[in-house]
Amino acid sequence: MLLIKNGRVIDPASNTDTVQDVLIEDSHISRIGTGLSAGSAEILDAAGLIVAPGFIDLHCHLREPGQELSETIETGTRSAARGGFAAVCCMPNTVPVNDNASVTRAIVERAAAKGSVRVWPIGAASAGSKGEALAEIAAMKAAGIVAVSDDGKPVATARLMRQVMEYCNSLGLLVIDHCEDPSLFAGGVMREGKQSVKLGLKGIPSQSESICVGRDVEVAALTGARLHIAHMSARASLEYVRAAKKQGLRVTCEVTPHHFTLIDEDVRYDSHYKMNPPLASREDREALIEGLADGSVDAIATDHAPHHPASKDVEFDRAPFGITGFETALALGLSELVQPGRLSLNRLVELFTIGPARVLGIERKIEAGQPADITVFSIDHPWTFRSKDSPSKSRNSPFNGRAFRGAPAATIVAGRIVYKQ
Ligand SMILES: [Zn+2]
Ligand SMILES: [Zn+2]
């Protein structure tokens, strides 16, 4: 038994925000109330801390199988636990690609044996994510995938997207798209604009993303499928999502911490500023923050994309896209959104908990009988992120050395403390 004492329980599902105790027996929550005691229970003193449902990350790369130099399920989920995440959805662009049930099963088994947190695999939409034939979606669903995506690339054509959506619709599966128009992307390495000209780096216009979001929304209207836009970075993309929601389409989206924190003007000749989609304009960031506040954006997702130091430590043009993200996500949300007064604390908690849960079509709440996935965090603890201290195998974060107020204090998965500060 585990008794979390005197924490400020924020449970968006029931609109709760009060100081209470939470008692956990085995893997489930058994009681919530004040002045609870349980003789033999381990006590977690949460006085002055927030007690929230376990955070869910809809988008990460754990690199296993095939790229274990950069990350493994074991190291990635330890980093996730440290970031307050109780469950993470891992993208299928592993080696081999997770496009069939045997790879899905291998990931699920590895996660059960070595994972600190729950791992929910995402299967490829097309075989090998090559954009030609459908992947073995039904068999992967039976093996445990929670969505499909060809992340790293967009689903290649509208026609293939229609097939993927129609098929996923019949299975009740979510389709996630990495939106980009390859003809506009065309070898770019950062957002096109004044800064790309100044640095002499090849730019990618925001329309590369928004044209594809527009296409996907149209195909979602045609098929009625559940569509989720990954790592949305541009204002025009958000407008498509808003319009889709207004029409009653089942369209959702996520924003990463780096896109609500940094902009193209921050980019320098340092591959820790190279990610896809690239850091956007100031106006785009402003629009994303408005969307996070007004409910148009459904979730904050990290797109944790570890790359071994040797692969990132090359010229900007040659470096792979992506940065790590688990351990700075909450702190960036607090420092960029809540502390400046752009978002309420409750809304931030929503974006890490019931927001992503709803995208997946599941529940997440603090209530007797529910699985005991809980994130305990501080909103004022001062600390500095040092990528060298991370359990991740990779160090590719632009936030190395950044000082924050607020951090996860404990992460509990199925009643077990998997991280404690
Ligand atoms: Zn992507
Ligand atoms: Zn990704």
Side-chain angles (χ1 to χ4, degrees):
M1 278 195 287
L2 174 66
L3 180 58
I4 306 171
K5 287 288 286 180
N6 298 316
R8 176 179 162 196
V9 176
I10 297 185
D11 181 33
S14 60
N15 257 323
T16 302
D17 183 354
T18 53
V19 172
Q20 284 183 308
D21 302 336
V22 179
L23 180 65
I24 295 165
E25 285 182 71
D26 301 321
S27 59
H28 285 69
I29 297 168
S30 64
R31 280 180 71 194
I32 298 147
T34 48
L36 296 187
S37 61
S40 60
E42 180 184 351
I43 306 284
L44 181 69
D45 179 11
L49 301 174
I50 310 298
V51 175
F55 290 2
I56 298 171
D57 189 359
L58 287 174
H59 189 149
C60 74
H61 301 267
L62 297 178
R63 305 296 188 214
E64 190 176 357
Q67 297 148 312
E68 289 86 353
L69 269 184
S70 294
E71 198 76 286
T72 62
I73 288 170
E74 180 175 6
T75 59
T77 58
R78 273 171 54 210
S79 176
R82 205 172 159 117
F85 293 98
V88 299
C89 302
C90 59
M91 284 295 178
N93 59 342
T94 46
V95 185
V97 172
N98 181 17
D99 64 356
N100 65 78
S102 69
V103 178
T104 305
R105 271 195 300 271
I107 293 170
V108 168
E109 281 163 17
R110 191 75 182 157
K114 295 284 179 187
S116 295
V117 308
R118 297 181 200 269
V119 174
W120 294 333
I122 294 168
S126 63
S129 284
K130 288 195 176 118
E132 292 155 10
L134 287 188
E136 293 176 16
I137 298 174
M140 287 192 289
K141 185 176 185 226
I145 62 163
V146 296
V148 302
S149 179
D150 277 344
D151 186 47
K153 310 171 189 171
V155 171
T157 64
R159 178 187 150 89
L160 179 67
M161 184 53 112
R162 181 181 189 177
Q163 288 175 344
V164 170
M165 283 186 178
E166 281 172 347
Y167 197 62
C168 285
N169 231 355
S170 70
L171 296 168
L173 262 182
L174 175 72
V175 179
I176 302 177
D177 204 17
H178 162 123
C179 289
E180 127 192 345
D181 180 303
S183 67
L184 280 178
F185 191 88
V189 294
M190 71 170 287
R191 173 62 80 82
E192 180 177 305
K194 277 193 192 128
Q195 187 75 357
S196 67
V197 172
K198 196 170 131 195
L199 296 176
L201 293 171
K202 184 155 171 30
I204 305 158
S206 65
Q207 285 80 0
S208 167
E209 175 184 282
S210 57
I211 284 172
C212 187
V213 174
R215 177 200 81 172
D216 286 358
V217 166
E218 290 288 352
V219 184
L222 183 65
T223 59
R226 282 163 63 204
L227 166 69
H228 180 71
I229 307 298
H231 45 47
M232 196 177 63
S233 72
R235 185 184 52 79
S237 307
L238 179 61
E239 291 310 323
Y240 280 119
V241 170
R242 279 206 178 104
K245 287 182 186 232
K246 217 175 253 171
Q247 283 176 60
L249 300 178
R250 298 191 293 168
V251 174
T252 55
C253 65
E254 70 194 25
V255 166
T256 71
H258 47 278
H259 286 112
F260 67 64
T261 302
L262 300 170
I263 57 174
D264 57 352
E265 293 167 32
D266 296 311
V267 175
R268 59 199 80 161
Y269 296 115
D270 173 348
S271 66
H272 294 149
Y273 292 84
K274 183 175 176 183
M275 62 287 278
N276 186 14
L279 296 172
S281 69
R282 190 177 294 276
E283 296 71 37
D284 286 318
R285 180 179 62 180
E286 191 57 29
L288 296 180
I289 294 174
E290 277 166 26
L292 286 159
D294 72 16
S296 313
V297 175
D298 299 270
I300 293 173
T302 68
D303 197 5
H304 175 84
H307 290 288
H308 188 261
S311 71
K312 264 297 210 189
D313 197 12
V314 295
E315 304 91 276
F316 200 94
D317 277 333
R318 289 176 48 218
F321 292 100
I323 61 171
T324 59
F326 290 137
E327 293 164 56
T328 46
L330 170 64
L332 288 168
L334 290 168
S335 68
E336 298 296 315
L337 304 174
V338 176
Q339 285 154 9
R342 303 297 307 265
L343 244 69
S344 69
L345 180 60
N346 290 47
R347 175 69 187 142
L348 184 72
V349 170
E350 240 176 64
L351 286 159
F352 278 114
T353 59
I354 57 169
R358 281 183 187 141
V359 171
L360 293 170
I362 59 171
E363 280 191 324
R364 183 126 292 209
K365 53 186 169 185
I366 298 185
E367 193 181 273
Q370 288 289 320
D373 283 16
I374 290 176
T375 298
V376 182
F377 67 93
S378 144
I379 53 172
D380 47 24
H381 172 71
W383 67 292
T384 299
F385 176 65
R386 305 264 179 227
S387 56
K388 70 173 172 51
D389 298 335
S390 169
S392 168
K393 285 196 170 184
S394 293
R395 302 283 172 260
N396 49 317
S397 168
F399 304 115
N400 183 34
R402 192 164 172 136
F404 293 108
R405 279 190 300 129
T411 307
I412 298 161
V413 178
R416 215 163 53 83
I417 298 176
V418 295
Y419 168 71
K420 194 160 179 247
Q421 197 192 16

